[in-house]
Structures are given as structure tokens and as C-alpha cells.
Amino acid sequence: MAMLSAGLTAALTLTACGVPPSDAIEAGEPASGIFPRSEPSGQAVVSLYFLADGDPKAYPRKIDHPVDLRTVVGQPFYGPTRGEAVTATTQLPHLTDTPGVSADGGSDVSIKLPDDVAPLSHPAMLQLACTVAHVSGSLAASPANARRNEALASTSVHVLGDGRTTSQTADDCPSPRQS
């Protein structure tokens, strides 16, 4: 009987906390999408594109702040991490230094590789074009930037090295959410 009484007392105590019930409280706009997030530890999460079964696929990766275009573009050249390598491969060469990167302020990005690097394959060019096309959304998660992301498919990457230029658009890139 004492056990039943103790259980009943505990149940009544938990249900009678003194907070009156209320209707739903409206506050602001409903949720409208997922933006790349910044980690409190001074890191940002960006989408790097590697190959999964030969097709470009986004792999989220934490990168230390400050995050800029040159830093993000250099990441795929280091290859997938051990965890990513379970499903990811790369056709990008391993570079010991971050390549030179310049943007024209529009949708063209140039990447200067060392002269001793062989021409990049089509899948490697897609990896770069997809990473560059989606890096803008990762650099600043804001509604204004979301509008800019709609035009990212028109991004063109130009890889320069040893007197040649190879270009690739991001037309065939899956979005990070589709990957």
C-alpha cells in the first residue's frame, strides 16, 4: 500500500507543476530551409565534392574560420578523409600547397595549378566546379545569399597550368541536399 501511495503522490506531483495550459503562441515566420551552419568552435561546415560511383557528391566538412574561397577550393586537393573515403574517391591530384584562386566578382573562378600537374580529367573538373558553385552558400548562410544560390549553376571554373586552360561549368552538379 505504501508503494501505491508513493507512486500516486509522485504522479500527482509531476502533473501539477503549476503551469496553466495555453494555446499555440505565434512568433515569426515558419522554418523555411536549411542553411550551412557555423559551429561554435570556430568552424564552418562546407560542402566539398568528391566522387561516389564516379559521380560528384557533396561531403560536408568542418573547416576552421576564417573560411574563404581559396581555403575551400584547396580542400578537395587533399583528398577525402578516412571517414569520407568509405564512399568517396577523387581524381584530383594531391597538392602540398593550396592552389592560387581568383574570382571575377561574378560567376567565373580561376584556379592556378603548379605547372608540373597533368591536365585534370572531366570528373576532377566536375569536383572543382561543384565545390566552387556551392561554396558561396556555405560562406554566409543568409536569405540574401539563398537568392544568389539559385544562380550558382552558371558558375564556371577555369583551371590554368603549364600554358593551358581547362574550363567546366557547374550545370551537372547535384545540390548538397540531393547528394
Side-chain angles (χ1 to χ4, degrees):
M1 187 65 166
M3 292 292 276
L4 180 60
S5 176
L8 185 56
T9 301
L12 287 173
T13 302
L14 290 175
T15 59
C17 64
V19 177
S22 67
D23 291 330
I25 300 170
E26 295 200 27
E29 301 275 329
S32 62
I34 299 172
F35 294 104
R37 64 191 185 279
S38 288
E39 298 291 319
S41 64
Q43 295 181 325
V45 178
V46 297
S47 293
L48 302 181
Y49 281 77
F50 292 106
L51 303 173
D53 297 324
D55 295 320
K57 178 182 177 190
Y59 288 82
R61 186 178 293 178
K62 292 179 183 177
I63 297 179
D64 292 333
H65 284 297
V67 177
D68 60 21
L69 183 62
R70 183 173 185 260
T71 301
V72 175
V73 167
Q75 292 296 307
F77 287 99
Y78 299 122
T81 63
R82 276 193 184 147
E84 293 164 345
V86 172
T87 59
T89 61
T90 186
Q91 289 195 8
L92 291 169
H94 180 77
L95 299 181
T96 55
D97 292 321
T98 302
V101 177
S102 62
D104 70 356
S107 59
D108 285 345
V109 174
S110 296
I111 301 169
K112 173 69 172 109
L113 299 180
D115 286 339
D116 62 343
V117 173
L120 300 183
S121 66
H122 177 69
M125 289 295 296
L126 271 175
Q127 282 181 251
L128 286 177
C130 296
T131 297
V132 167
H134 292 96
V135 72
S136 294
S138 298
L139 294 180
S142 71
N145 199 40
R147 285 190 296 276
R148 183 175 176 204
N149 288 343
E150 294 170 5
L152 289 177
S154 65
T155 299
S156 292
V157 171
H158 310 283
V159 176
L160 300 86
D162 200 20
R164 68 183 173 278
T165 301
T166 309
S167 298
Q168 178 66 50
T169 64
D171 295 337
D172 297 326
C173 297
S175 78
R177 289 179 204 85
Q178 293 173 336
S179 294

